Amino acid sequence: MNKILLTCTLLALVATVAGLDTCRAKLLLRLHNIERACIGLKRLQWDDSLAAAAQTWANHLASTGNLEHSGTPGVGENIANAITHANVVSSMFRMWSSEKSSFTNANPFPDVSIDGGPVGQYTQIIWAATDFVGCGVAKDSSSSYLVCQYQPAGNYIGQYVFLPSDVIYPPTCHPKPADTY
């Protein structure tokens, strides 16, 4: 275990210059699949070409300091930035996954927010038709930028995020009791 921790720590030091290390790539894939497992959706697979494109865009964001989508045709994309600190990648992912508190699958996209809160980053994570994800991370002097790209893209207007037939595993997360909504 200590050997793995040391390896991940060394890789993280390299990643501050080079981008997303293997440990954080595995973490991001795991975090995506945990969210999907909560619903019972198929697992995403890591795609190196998506990761390379996401890394290129993360580098661009860090160089400009702007938070904007790449606009790559046919690719879904989540972006985030935060002040650089320990566990910043997990923290930025949590920004996306926390949108689930506003999500409902009762209507087709984009009418999937129960309270008007943002849900588009979360819906891309759990979009049932998506099979692949790849992510990149970059830093400027004070902030980190996370980009994850998805294929096939999600968030299509007029489509449901997922259908009952897309739920292929028993959901692993339990819904909140009605009185806590």
Side-chain angles (χ1 to χ4, degrees):
M1 180 67 167
N2 287 339
K3 185 177 181 180
I4 293 171
L5 183 58
L6 178 61
T7 302
C8 287
T9 302
L10 292 173
L11 286 171
L13 290 173
V14 171
T16 60
V17 176
L20 192 63
D21 62 82
T22 303
C23 293
R24 288 191 289 176
K26 288 180 180 179
L27 172 65
L28 282 165
L29 180 60
R30 183 172 176 262
L31 291 171
H32 277 85
N33 284 327
I34 286 170
E35 290 300 330
R36 295 173 70 85
C38 283
I39 299 165
L41 301 173
K42 69 183 176 206
R43 299 173 63 83
L44 294 180
Q45 296 177 33
W46 190 262
D47 184 277
D48 289 333
S49 62
L50 286 173
Q55 184 61 55
T56 298
W57 192 247
N59 292 343
H60 169 78
L61 296 178
S63 71
T64 65
N66 295 328
L67 193 61
E68 58 192 353
H69 287 283
S70 67
T72 305
V75 174
E77 185 173 76
N78 282 351
I79 56 175
N81 73 321
I83 295 172
T84 300
H85 58 82
N87 301 320
V88 69
V89 170
S90 297
S91 176
M92 288 188 286
F93 183 87
R94 267 193 311 274
M95 286 191 283
W96 301 337
S97 65
S98 70
E99 292 178 357
K100 69 181 156 192
S101 64
S102 295
F103 172 72
T104 178
N105 199 45
N107 304 305
F109 189 86
D111 300 319
V112 293
S113 178
I114 58 173
D115 58 11
V119 294
Q121 309 286 346
Y122 176 67
T123 55
Q124 178 58 79
I125 292 168
I126 62 163
W127 196 266
T130 298
D131 295 315
F132 301 99
V133 62
C135 303
V137 66
K139 290 174 44 172
D140 62 19
S141 60
S142 62
S143 296
S144 292
Y145 298 82
L146 174 63
V147 176
C148 290
Q149 294 187 342
Y150 306 85
Q151 277 190 328
N155 293 353
Y156 284 102
I157 293 173
Q159 292 185 13
Y160 280 89
V161 176
F162 61 89
L163 298 170
S165 59
D166 295 320
V167 178
I168 58 174
Y169 301 111
T172 60
C173 298
H174 303 287
K176 296 183 275 187
D179 61 348
T180 63
Y181 283 108

